[in-house]
Amino acid sequence: MKKALILFTIVVLISFLTSCKNESDNYIDPRGTDYAGSESCIQCHQTQYETAFHSSHFKATSPATKENILGHFTNGHNTFVYDKDTKLVMEERNDSLYQVLYKNGKEVEAHPFEVLFGTKHAQTSAFWRNHYTFELPVSYYKSLNSWATSPGYSASKVNFDRKIAKECYGCHSSNIASRYITTSSDSITFMNMEVEDFMNPKTLIYGIDCERCHGPAKQHVQKHLKFPDLKIAQDITSFRKLTRQQRIDACAVCHSGNDKLKVKSRFEYKPGDDLLDYFRGVPGSNDSIHYDVHGNQLGLLAQSKCFKKSETMDCMTCHNPHANASQNLVSYSKICMSCHQGIQHNAVTLKTTSASVLANNCVECHMPKKMSNAITFQLSQNKNKSNYILRTHKIGIYPKDKK
């Protein structure tokens, strides 16, 4: 009887421990068994998770739900006109949203919103076809509060044939499955020869998630749930322990342009890695004078005297990667003034700009908004191209007439 009781107790204990198993143990991540999934972070890092969830990083790509899709779908605001016979209409059909092409009043082609790119300034959408994604021809621009042509498309001719390459997902998502052939040339190992260029929708991890920046977290989650008294983070990348260059590289993997030779996939990058193992400069290909304000923020920042003269300045000096860039320009001025307290403006600036603006709005003058040559668009019934406007990361002195 005593043995039976002991055996029963052991069985109950095993059953109890099994029922208390960490939920992340049951999660299967397309990136591999080392990953726990961002939702596992909520248990201990709820504040950071909830902030990041609403950020542009997290929404770099997102599923095309009605809650996520930006833009107007009501009559009078949902039509893009190419010419008197051709128009594209944003429509709701069977609880899904579509872009529908009409010629001479007759429907020619219709494709659904399925993958969304961006949310802060604008939003471009894509649809799946035969394991490829194709860009929808019209995007929503917040500054215009209207629809306009998507990057790469023209208002002169409409089609749905612009394929979105895997490389785009390298900076707009945390994974889209690829297999690579390893080839060697001298001392360099190349990982950019893909076995297939098509993509499996089931392997797409939307947005820039926690593990894209902090590395695989399965062991971290398991250890800290088992030993909640641990105060120092285990088995995870802490940015506080990275060198300045490592912190910069973690941002530069997506914010240093696309004009370098790819040695490895961006998805292979882990925080703390040397970015030179992933991208190599190609002699003569880098036009550093004309870095675009879209996509090469580090290239512009690196040209700034502030950055060159500082031994500590990195991207996180001004930005919280868990949140969108602050709209409170005063907060940036405080960062500037921590180093530039004794700087005096010249007589012309003092006469033309109020003291309060000079004290509270450094970036408006020293990091002005510039036109992007990488992103242009056209409005409905308008053949003129407009340039997307973004704030430059090259900190400098800009004469007002040359902005």
Side-chain angles (χ1 to χ4, degrees), residues 345 348-361 400:
H345 291 90
V348 175
T349 301
L350 291 171
K351 285 182 179 180
T352 58
T353 311
S354 68
S356 60
V357 171
L358 290 176
N360 299 324
N361 198 352
K400 289 188 176 182

Side-chain angles (χ1 to χ4, degrees), residues 221-387:
V221 172
Q222 290 176 336
K223 184 170 290 186
H224 281 272
L225 288 179
K226 187 175 181 179
F227 303 105
D229 57 315
L230 288 172
K231 302 302 180 184
I232 299 176
Q234 308 286 314
D235 302 309
I236 199 74
T237 299
S238 171
F239 274 66
R240 294 176 182 175
K241 295 181 179 180
L242 296 180
T243 65
R244 180 200 186 198
Q245 189 58 52
Q246 287 174 326
R247 293 195 300 272
I248 291 170
D249 282 357
C251 300
V253 69
C254 288
H255 291 283
S256 61
N258 296 297
D259 58 353
K260 297 180 178 65
L261 176 67
K262 183 176 76 171
V263 180
K264 294 182 183 180
S265 166
R266 282 182 169 91
F267 289 129
E268 299 289 313
Y269 177 85
K270 302 293 187 300
D273 287 356
D274 187 342
L275 199 60
L276 290 177
D277 291 336
Y278 291 79
F279 299 95
R280 299 293 174 91
V282 180
S285 70
N286 295 332
D287 182 3
S288 60
I289 297 175
H290 299 101
Y291 280 145
D292 198 86
V293 289
H294 175 268
N296 202 343
Q297 291 86 352
L298 178 63
L300 292 165
L301 179 64
Q303 295 178 355
S304 310
K305 286 185 178 180
C306 292
F307 184 82
K308 290 178 179 178
K309 291 184 176 182
S310 174
E311 296 182 357
T312 59
M313 186 180 187
D314 59 31
C315 306
M316 285 173 281
T317 300
C318 298
H319 293 292
N320 174 4
H322 294 135
N324 287 336
S326 174
Q327 298 302 306
N328 179 12
L329 299 183
V330 176
S331 63
Y332 296 109
S333 294
K334 289 180 179 179
I335 297 171
C336 297
M337 296 306 291
S338 65
C339 293
H340 296 284
Q341 292 178 356
I343 299 297
Q344 295 294 322
H345 291 90
N346 62 38
V348 175
T349 301
L350 291 171
K351 285 182 179 180
T352 58
T353 311
S354 68
S356 60
V357 171
L358 290 176
N360 299 324
N361 198 352
C362 301
V363 298
E364 197 62 42
C365 290
H366 297 289
M367 298 178 66
K369 292 183 178 180
K370 296 276 191 176
M371 294 190 302
S372 168
N373 292 315
I375 301 180
T376 60
F377 58 87
Q378 292 168 276
L379 298 171
S380 178
Q381 296 179 291
N382 190 333
K383 303 303 181 184
N384 295 323
K385 287 188 176 182
S386 299
N387 295 75

